[in-house]
Amino acid sequence: MTAETQVQGRTDVQGFLAEHAEKELLRLAVVGSVDDGKSTLIGRLLYECNGLFEDQVAAVKRASAGGEIDFSLFTDGLRAEREQGITIDVAYRYFSTKRRKVIVADTPGHLQYTRNMATGASTADAAVILVDARLGILPQTRRHAYIASLLGIPYLAVAINKMDLMDFDQAVYERLSTEFEAFARTLGFEQVRFFPISARTGDNITQPSARTPWHDGETLLGWLETLPHERRQEDAAFRFPVQYVLRPDLDYRGFAGQIVSGKVRLGDEVVVYPSKRRTHIASIDTFDGRLEEASAPASVTLRLTDEVDISRGDQIAHAEQPPRVLQDMEAMLVWFGEERLDTSRRYLVKHTSKYVPAHIEQVLWRKELEDLSEQPAPTLGLNDIAKVRLVCKRPVVCDPYRDNRRTGAFIVVDPLTNDTVAAGMILGGAGGQGAGEARSLVTASERRERLGQSGAVLLLTGTPEVRDAALRLERALFDLGRHAATVRGDAENALALAEAGLLAILYTPVPQARLVLREQLRGAGVPWLELEPSEDVDTQVKRVLDAQEKTP
């Protein structure tokens, strides 16, 4: 091989990679009941779109014992899956066409693994649901379609499979299409498209079939190529859940995480939640250097112009597009746990990068998937789907799931076993609440206007003389016309006073209590400021008044 040929080969590869990188991405979930042919369909797509290696094809041909290729073997990789002929775990496969790249989630159809199906479909932009032409619309088919709609998937293809076993009877196809369309009309999909296919023989998958002259000729792959590509998150509201606080030396303090939606630029005004402290973006750092701007789904480290108390689980957002701060919320749950829901127990809610103690106060209704009716239910069992009222111990900075899939989703963890027992989608505040303050009929802005101040907690800890310092501060604030009260060691009481609009001076002479009180205040969604008892009262008052001016 000459040097010129080598250079030409490298150029061709680089050009191919550059062209591939520019292709639009579609995330696709394939769902359906047991033995509807999901794995076979995906195997067929991989085979006909050249998404397989030669040794994979050779191995499956050998396993097919010289007969027709068993396309399901390209995806069912676990030994248990091959032995039982079912899909157990979610398998992700990749192929590309001339126009786009496709990531396919092959999800389980067995009732026992509905939770795996919900996990696999949670990031999809479109879904294909298979229906066995011999068996028709099954309860599990309805369950999967409802979960797909619940997860916000906008586009659904209904593939009536195994039409070859029904002699491609048009009447069978139209009957099943009409039945499913009546069911899907209530689910809110943007588009539902029907295809008569045979995954085993390839009819209407990548090429039109001569055996369905009554079909309009569109293929499943052709439909996938015409869909809008992955839902873009750059134009959504900026959301940045903090994952780590980086402090490699005394001169650097950055907040690392992934931008889950929107974009951020140097100099942008942002608000840190739940403390609601305002600041600006001083730097956007990456491993390769500083950026002028960054957008979802980039992982970056943000540095701020002000010293703000931020920890893992806090969230940074633009001031003009605030998230919601909720403790009592209504949500949809898909119950994964083998043990039934116990409304008297405490669970953990994992939302973005934060764990919050919570309990499911009430099951408002359970969805009956046969007729989509809402049935009363005292508890939930495996694979049940329900609307619940969730009460969190600390505020959750979130968005409704319909507005933002990343900040509107959560999982429920059993703290005793560490098992994930449910996946949830936030609908909004319980009883129409919009923020942590909305549990009162008096709003924070009304309190500010009446009292001339914003409620906050002022923390003083660590010395025997701290009580005297707290009382002197209360007196000084009162003399300036501010409404203040002192509280010893009770964060809950101090927070209640702050929510009522007062300046609650929380003090304790016990140094060891400082970290506990900080943690309670940090997650409460109420402004708070830590003061040094050794400072003179004039300095303390100035810091309080400066913080009041910055409080929205």
Side-chain angles (χ1 to χ4, degrees), residues 236-509:
F238 171 60
R239 301 289 184 262
F240 185 81
V242 175
Q243 189 168 4
Y244 296 109
V245 178
L246 300 181
R247 194 71 187 272
D249 55 57
L250 294 177
D251 298 322
Y252 189 99
R253 187 164 183 256
F255 306 101
Q258 183 185 45
I259 302 173
V260 298
S261 64
K263 62 175 60 176
V264 64
R265 298 178 180 87
L266 284 179
D268 281 358
E269 183 181 21
V270 294
V271 179
V272 179
Y273 291 88
S275 68
K276 298 185 181 178
R277 285 291 306 275
R278 288 177 179 255
T279 183
H280 292 79
I281 300 296
S283 180
I284 304 171
D285 299 341
T286 69
F287 180 79
D288 297 318
R290 296 181 61 181
L291 303 176
E292 291 294 320
E293 71 172 41
S295 57
S299 294
V300 298
T301 298
L302 301 182
R303 286 190 284 161
L304 308 177
T305 57
D306 300 294
E307 287 291 332
V308 182
D309 185 15
I310 300 177
S311 60
R312 177 183 175 91
D314 289 353
Q315 195 168 137
I316 302 173
H318 279 142
E320 67 274 12
Q321 294 178 307
R324 304 175 79 174
V325 183
L326 301 175
Q327 280 186 261
D328 297 358
M329 65 186 74
E330 291 183 354
M332 295 298 299
L333 277 190
V334 182
W335 192 256
F336 292 170
E338 302 286 349
E339 299 289 332
R340 298 184 70 83
L341 164 66
D342 185 350
T343 55
S344 66
R345 282 195 54 199
R346 177 171 291 186
Y347 295 92
L348 290 176
V349 164
K350 185 181 186 298
H351 175 263
T352 60
S353 55
K354 185 176 187 176
Y355 282 93
V356 180
H359 71 275
I360 299 165
E361 186 176 76
Q362 182 184 4
V363 179
L364 300 175
W365 47 258
R366 179 183 61 82
K367 181 67 72 171
E368 178 53 62
L369 294 174
E370 287 292 336
D371 56 6
L372 291 184
S373 62
E374 299 169 0
Q375 302 293 330
T379 184
L380 298 176
L382 180 64
N383 298 321
D384 279 344
I385 302 170
K387 182 179 180 180
V388 302
R389 179 171 179 176
L390 181 70
V391 179
C392 298
K393 184 68 174 175
R394 296 192 294 271
V396 173
V397 183
C398 61
D399 297 280
Y401 185 81
R402 66 179 180 274
D403 297 335
N404 194 315
R405 293 173 89 182
R406 295 293 299 276
T407 58
F410 62 89
I411 60 172
V412 182
V413 178
D414 186 333
L416 297 179
T417 62
N418 210 33
D419 290 339
T420 300
V421 295
M425 290 133 278
I426 296 169
L427 301 176
Q433 292 177 19
E437 65 196 23
R439 287 184 289 175
S440 171
L441 297 179
V442 181
T443 67
S445 60
E446 290 175 318
R447 296 184 192 278
R448 282 197 300 271
E449 185 176 353
R450 176 69 60 84
L451 299 174
Q453 65 182 44
S454 297
V457 177
L458 310 176
L459 180 61
L460 292 161
T461 61
T463 67
E465 298 80 20
V466 70
R467 178 179 178 274
D468 294 336
L471 293 176
R472 284 195 300 269
L473 178 60
E474 179 188 13
R475 181 75 244 182
L477 290 170
F478 182 79
D479 290 343
L480 291 173
R482 303 287 172 158
H483 303 270
T486 55
V487 179
R488 174 169 176 154
D490 187 342
E492 296 294 332
N493 192 7
L495 288 169
L497 292 174
E499 288 175 351
L502 275 65
L503 295 174
I505 304 169
L506 175 61
Y507 72 92
T508 176

Side-chain angles (χ1 to χ4, degrees), residues 469 472 530-540 543:
R472 284 195 300 269
E530 186 166 4
L531 302 171
E532 290 296 331
S534 58
E535 292 177 326
D536 64 84
V537 70
D538 291 337
T539 301
Q540 292 174 342
R543 290 186 61 196

